[in-house]
Amino acid sequence: MLVAIAILFVIIGVVAGVIGSIAGLGGGIFFVPALLFFANWYMPGSMNPQVAAATSLIVIAVTALSSSLSYLKQKKVDKESALLFFIGSAPGAIVGVYLNTLLAVEGFSLLFGLFQLCMFVVLMVKDKIKPRSIEWEVQRHFIDNEGNEYVYGYSKWSVITLAFFVGITSSLFGVGGGILMVPAMMILFRFPPHIATATSMLVIFLSAVVGSITNIFHDNVHWLYAAMLAPGAWVGGKLGAIAASKMKGRTIVLFLRVLILGIAIQMIGEAIFG
């Protein structure tokens, strides 16, 4: 039975790694439910949400490192922007953990789901909105494989401030920061889809390492299950980065829209039906 669980977790790791890498997510939306369901099915009562989240974070770090290395070779990671997002999101995540102990987060699931629906709608209409001319403090140029030229940018403090609230929200609602960070990059700062997803993966890796160190000190990680998930996650991260490099920007945006809509429906359903 343990061998069957190990094989299943390798497959889950590959699938989550591929999807997470393409969309700029960590994969926690797959790892946590898988750990809670299959670990408790194999050994009832052996996995609680806290250990599942901590174990998932270790595997997310593996996925993010794997895909980040590939994206760095493709020269699609905006390293300066990634560092700014990390500077903001890391303390935000700590604040979110603290708020999580004070608030009944379940009561906010409906609001978060509705917020994600709004993000979905904005992504649907963003190409129809006439871009405004903005004098950014930092400005970048990028030409994708199809020859499309992108101009994007931001002020450093706006990125740090936004990332701080992304960190709070991701910890508070137990979702990966990428599901908020990637749309924000594209909508607010006009990041090209390829740059947004690649940069997000590096931010997720840095954040996951910080969070994992804390979890290790508190002995919250189930190392056996992490070891089962990690090989597939590493391979999936590599495959996802390769697949994303061959995808059009519009395809990545469509992929992200579907994921955001799915997460929104899931969280609204949990809020309504428990």
Side-chain angles (χ1 to χ4, degrees):
M1 181 65 74
L2 185 60
V3 174
I5 293 292
I7 294 173
L8 180 63
F9 275 10
V10 169
I11 295 171
I12 291 171
V14 172
V15 173
V18 169
I19 295 174
S21 183
I22 291 174
L25 314 179
I29 57 175
F30 302 99
F31 295 137
V32 173
L35 284 165
L36 287 171
F37 180 81
F38 291 110
N40 285 319
W41 174 65
Y42 171 65
M43 191 176 296
S46 63
M47 181 65 61
N48 61 51
Q50 185 179 23
V51 174
T55 304
S56 170
L57 198 59
I58 290 282
V59 185
I60 287 171
V62 173
T63 303
L65 175 60
S66 174
S67 59
S68 292
L69 291 174
S70 294
Y71 282 130
L72 284 166
K73 289 180 181 179
Q74 298 172 17
K75 297 182 179 180
K76 290 180 179 175
V77 179
D78 188 331
K79 295 186 284 294
E80 181 182 339
S81 300
L83 180 60
L84 288 174
F85 271 96
F86 173 67
I87 289 172
S89 64
I94 295 172
V95 173
V97 171
Y98 176 70
L99 290 176
N100 201 8
T101 64
L102 301 178
L103 302 174
V105 181
E106 294 81 2
F108 291 86
S109 293
L110 178 60
L111 291 178
F112 185 77
L114 292 174
F115 172 74
Q116 287 293 92
L117 279 180
C118 291
M119 296 287 278
F120 170 77
V121 172
V122 172
L123 280 174
M124 289 292 292
V125 302
K126 79 177 185 68
D127 292 334
K128 300 178 182 179
I129 300 174
K130 186 178 181 180
R132 292 181 300 144
S133 178
I134 302 175
E135 292 295 327
W136 282 303
E137 175 188 352
V138 176
Q139 186 165 302
R140 301 271 196 273
H141 294 265
F142 175 74
I143 300 177
D144 64 17
N145 296 335
E146 304 158 58
N148 299 314
E149 184 175 0
Y150 295 86
V151 178
Y152 67 101
Y154 50 81
S155 69
K156 293 180 180 179
W157 281 109
S158 66
V159 165
I160 292 173
T161 302
L162 173 67
F164 179 77
F165 287 103
V166 167
I168 289 177
T169 306
S170 63
S171 291
L172 190 60
F173 292 103
V175 297
I179 200 64
L180 297 171
M181 194 158 25
V182 174
M185 285 177 174
M186 292 193 297
I187 294 168
L188 298 178
F189 306 126
R190 301 180 194 165
F191 273 64
H194 289 95
I195 301 297
T197 54
T199 302
S200 173
M201 290 307 293
L202 181 57
V203 179
I204 288 171
F205 168 67
L206 296 172
S207 300
V209 168
V210 172
S212 294
I213 290 172
T214 303
N215 285 320
I216 289 170
F217 277 123
H218 287 85
D219 197 27
N220 288 333
V221 179
H222 195 298
W223 290 104
L224 177 60
Y225 292 135
M228 291 178 180
L229 286 165
W234 178 270
V235 173
K238 290 284 186 186
L239 293 176
I242 293 171
S245 70
K246 301 181 183 301
M247 294 168 66
K248 295 181 178 180
R250 292 190 299 272
T251 306
I252 292 177
V253 173
L254 176 61
F255 193 80
L256 186 63
R257 287 172 183 165
V258 173
L259 279 178
I260 289 176
L261 181 61
I263 292 172
I265 293 172
Q266 177 192 5
M267 297 201 76
I268 291 172
E270 287 179 358
I272 296 175
F273 302 107

